[in-house]
Amino acid sequence: MVATTKVGVRRNLDGEQVRPLKLCIIGAGGFIGSHLCEKLMWDTHHSVLAVDVYGDKIQHLLAPGKSWSDRIEFHKINIKHDSRLEGLIKLSDLVINLAAICTPADYNTRPLDTIYSNFIDALPVVQYCRVNHKRLIHFSTCEVYGKTIGSFLPADSPLKKDPAYYILKEDESPCIFGPIEKQRWSYACAKQLIERFIYAEGAENDLEFTIVRPFNWIGPRMDFIPGIDGPSESVPRVLACFSNNLMRGEPLKLVDGGQSQRTFVYIKDAIEAVLRMIENPARANGHIFNVGNPHNELTVRELAELMTDVYCKVSGNPRPAVPTIDVTSMEFYGQGYDDSDKRIPDMTIIKKQLEWEPKTPVYDLMESTLTYQHTTYAQAVKKAMSKTLAN
């Protein structure tokens, strides 16, 4: 994408002029944060106080001499320990909290860190917003829904095909998790509890808030590649796992047969939804929004097949003789793993309130993402593999 050089007057969905805002974005250096900062710098007059421990993914925005350089500041802060955070929140008009541990492999192996990151560390942000009368957009997760009602029906039940048993609605669907010993649900439980805390602050103390539930946002700069820009022993999310396998010429590992179903939405589409939340507070305040694309539904096995086809196209590599192998969740994630069967968002509320719908089909978003992965990482992966063989 080419940066916009001229930005005209922005108007919200009701035709009102949008005044420039100062946003404190916590987690600005991550995947979602970097794309949001790009959108804000390139297409709006808003300014950003970018808070994160790492800023690698927004270095291109922080370089001096850009037309937007006076509208973005990077503050290297770990929100666990830094008293400067409240001062930055006081300076802002709106706070967006993206900070989280959100990698499934960590939910099993680091459940305490997961709970602290997604609940305990988020509490002061909510309280600073309430005390200082700042609006909050908090990023939650589609995992708060847990398992669908349909997953508890007999395998041959015709009700499994009834949308009432699997479509996930913000204001109706129950949140169903597995037993306590399945520590995979530590993330979902922590995210649900901070949602309930925010909602209670709104009800009792008039906190202005919006909660976002992302459904598998996909695009360039997502996650990390082990041993390249992340720890060698770490396990990233599924897209980065599969990308790493493809670049290494290894079979893609399908956990428990890859039967879980997911939907995928392009990051650029999703960021447009977030911008509408930012610029339309009267329509967004007090709401929880699913942000996903129900038309881009695949099983994880189908995802592996699609990614293999697309990667062979963008890289010019031949299709592998053994594209996938099945592994158990115990082998891949260890003790305590569990999963949800389907995650398909209902889009009624976001369509009504923000007039937003996703546009990008799954093949196109995958082609964009894997082109980036190949261009950015393939040579580094090849060098790392050569070094390993030499040793």
Side-chain angles (χ1 to χ4, degrees):
M1 181 183 284
V2 178
T4 303
T5 53
K6 265 192 169 183
V7 180
V9 173
R10 292 191 63 82
R11 297 192 178 276
N12 66 18
L13 294 171
D14 297 310
E16 302 161 339
Q17 185 170 333
V18 176
R19 68 177 179 87
L21 301 170
K22 180 168 284 190
L23 285 70
C24 178
I25 303 181
I26 303 166
F31 164 56
I32 295 173
S34 67
H35 284 276
L36 179 56
C37 286
E38 275 185 351
K39 183 72 173 177
L40 293 167
M41 293 302 101
W42 294 351
D43 292 351
T44 80
H45 292 296
H46 305 312
S47 58
V48 171
L49 302 172
V51 175
D52 212 318
V53 178
Y54 304 106
D56 298 0
K57 293 181 179 181
I58 54 171
Q59 281 304 309
H60 61 298
L61 300 175
L62 300 174
K66 305 291 186 181
S67 60
W68 58 79
S69 291
D70 62 340
R71 293 192 289 115
I72 186 166
E73 301 173 9
F74 180 68
H75 296 266
K76 187 173 182 177
I77 289 178
N78 184 332
I79 64 170
K80 275 177 176 285
H81 310 118
D82 206 308
S83 60
R84 291 176 293 168
L85 181 61
E86 184 174 12
L88 294 175
I89 287 174
K90 284 181 177 179
L91 291 173
S92 67
D93 299 302
L94 167 64
V95 177
I96 300 178
N97 190 7
L98 291 155
I101 288 176
C102 52
T103 304
D106 289 330
Y107 311 158
N108 271 12
T109 58
R110 300 168 58 202
L112 285 176
D113 286 343
T114 299
I115 292 166
Y116 268 87
S117 172
N118 291 290
F119 178 63
I120 304 295
D121 297 344
L123 284 174
V125 176
V126 180
Q127 291 166 330
Y128 292 154
C129 288
R130 186 249 300 161
V131 169
N132 294 289
H133 308 289
K134 303 298 181 181
R135 183 175 166 227
L136 171 66
I137 297 178
H138 182 84
F139 273 68
S140 184
T141 172
C142 61
E143 292 215 12
V144 297
Y145 292 109
K147 301 186 177 191
T148 66
I149 298 172
S151 69
F152 295 92
L153 296 171
D156 58 352
S157 172
L159 293 176
K160 277 186 170 287
K161 296 181 180 179
D162 184 340
Y165 289 87
Y166 63 82
I167 297 291
L168 301 172
K169 299 183 178 182
E170 302 96 324
D171 53 351
E172 293 182 21
S173 296
C175 302
I176 307 172
F177 304 142
I180 297 298
E181 66 178 16
K182 300 293 188 182
Q183 299 222 68
R184 187 254 193 277
W185 300 110
S186 58
Y187 173 66
C189 287
K191 282 292 194 183
Q192 186 199 135
L193 190 53
I194 197 65
E195 280 198 27
R196 291 190 183 279
F197 186 82
I198 292 167
Y199 202 90
E201 284 283 13
E204 293 190 27
N205 297 317
D206 299 320
L207 173 71
E208 292 188 4
F209 73 87
T210 302
I211 291 170
V212 186
R213 291 179 179 167
F215 280 71
N216 294 294
W217 296 11
I218 301 295
R221 300 194 294 274
M222 181 181 177
D223 231 332
F224 62 91
I225 297 299
I228 306 300
D229 58 353
S232 298
E233 67 279 4
S234 293
V235 180
R237 284 168 287 186
V238 64
L239 186 130
C241 271
F242 285 175
S243 298
N244 190 32
N245 295 144
L246 289 164
M247 287 186 285
R248 291 175 179 273
E250 300 169 345
L252 280 58
K253 294 179 179 178
L254 301 178
V255 175
D256 295 335
Q259 294 309 303
S260 296
Q261 292 170 279
R262 299 290 183 265
T263 58
F264 300 90
V265 65
Y266 191 41
I267 184 67
K268 304 294 185 188
D269 292 350
I271 291 299
E272 178 59 37
V274 178
L275 186 58
R276 292 188 182 202
M277 296 173 205
I278 291 168
E279 296 187 335
N280 295 273
R283 290 177 175 235
N285 281 345
H287 285 285
I288 301 171
F289 292 113
N290 289 340
V291 183
N293 189 336
H295 305 296
N296 287 347
E297 183 191 3
L298 298 169
T299 66
V300 174
R301 181 175 290 278
E302 289 168 341
L303 173 68
E305 293 167 356
L306 174 64
M307 288 184 66
T308 300
D309 290 342
V310 174
Y311 188 73
C312 290
K313 175 186 173 184
V314 302
S315 68
N317 294 348
R319 188 175 178 84
V322 183
T324 63
I325 56 172
D326 288 0
V327 297
T328 68
S329 54
M330 174 68 80
E331 290 173 297
F332 195 82
Y333 289 115
Q335 186 75 32
Y337 187 76
D338 199 6
D339 206 355
S340 53
D341 53 326
K342 292 167 78 84
R343 290 196 203 129
I344 303 175
D346 179 83
M347 305 298 290
T348 304
I349 294 177
I350 198 166
K351 283 182 185 178
K352 178 184 176 184
Q353 292 300 122
L354 300 179
E355 301 174 20
W356 177 84
E357 291 186 71
K359 299 175 181 176
T360 309
V362 68
Y363 187 94
D364 293 350
L365 72 84
M366 206 58 67
E367 186 172 34
S368 170
T369 303
L370 290 178
T371 298
Y372 172 86
Q373 297 287 92
H374 179 70
T375 303
T376 306
Y377 293 112
Q379 285 304 312
V381 169
K382 191 175 180 181
K383 283 182 184 176
M385 291 173 69
S386 299
K387 198 175 289 185
T388 302
L389 288 171
N391 293 336

